[in-house]
Amino acid sequence: MRSRKRVLGVTLLELMAVVAVVAILGLIAVPGYRRHVQRAQRTEAKTALLLAAANQERFHLQHHRYTADLTLLGFGAAANAPTESGRYVLNVTAATADAFTIEATAVNEMAADEECRTFAIASTGARWAAPDPSGRCW
């Protein structure tokens, strides 16, 4: 009797099984990876807000009031100042002699972030995000 030799070493059925397993792993891994990337990119908003708040305090020490003008705080525009990579825009939503509130709103690809579209910080040190259903944005 003759022995049969496999020419390619892999049958079509085996190849289809490997492709199916890789596809299933991709379906599981990609959404988790995307959530991880979004969480990492949220730090851009937090960093910009903390910098703006520190600059507000510095401005208050020199002028005895807070300002609504982001250019005076070292940002590129008076309103809707983009963050470093342009994923968020900053706005001073309230500024009086004694208090301020600054918001960072998601734009571009981060606008699809369903958990944390808007971050905010106040002169009291309070920090919050919206909609923030899980309470984990900050």
Side-chain angles (χ1 to χ4, degrees):
M1 293 199 132
R2 295 168 133 176
S3 64
R4 294 186 178 176
K5 292 183 179 178
R6 291 173 109 177
V7 177
L8 295 176
V10 178
T11 66
L12 182 59
L13 186 59
E14 291 170 333
L15 185 61
M16 288 174 53
V18 168
V19 169
V21 168
V22 169
I24 290 169
L25 289 175
L27 288 173
I28 294 169
V30 169
Y33 175 74
R34 180 67 190 140
R35 281 192 303 273
H36 177 74
V37 168
Q38 279 184 333
R39 281 195 309 263
Q41 290 174 342
R42 289 175 191 155
T43 60
E44 182 177 333
K46 298 174 200 177
T47 302
L49 285 173
L50 292 171
L51 177 63
N55 289 349
Q56 275 282 30
E57 294 300 335
R58 190 174 301 118
F59 185 87
H60 188 269
L61 284 173
Q62 294 173 350
H63 303 282
H64 307 292
R65 65 180 174 85
Y66 293 110
T67 182
D69 188 354
L70 287 167
T71 57
L72 297 175
L73 300 177
F75 292 91
N80 292 324
T83 56
E84 187 175 352
S85 297
R87 292 185 181 100
Y88 294 87
V89 292
L90 295 179
N91 280 307
V92 178
T93 57
T96 64
D98 300 322
F100 70 85
T101 303
I102 306 171
E103 286 186 356
T105 305
V107 293
N108 302 329
E109 75 271 7
M110 288 307 291
D113 187 357
E114 295 178 3
E115 289 185 19
C116 310
R117 278 193 200 103
T118 304
F119 292 88
I121 193 166
S123 55
T124 61
R127 302 177 297 189
W128 63 95
D132 197 13
S134 60
R136 296 182 302 189
C137 290
W138 267 97

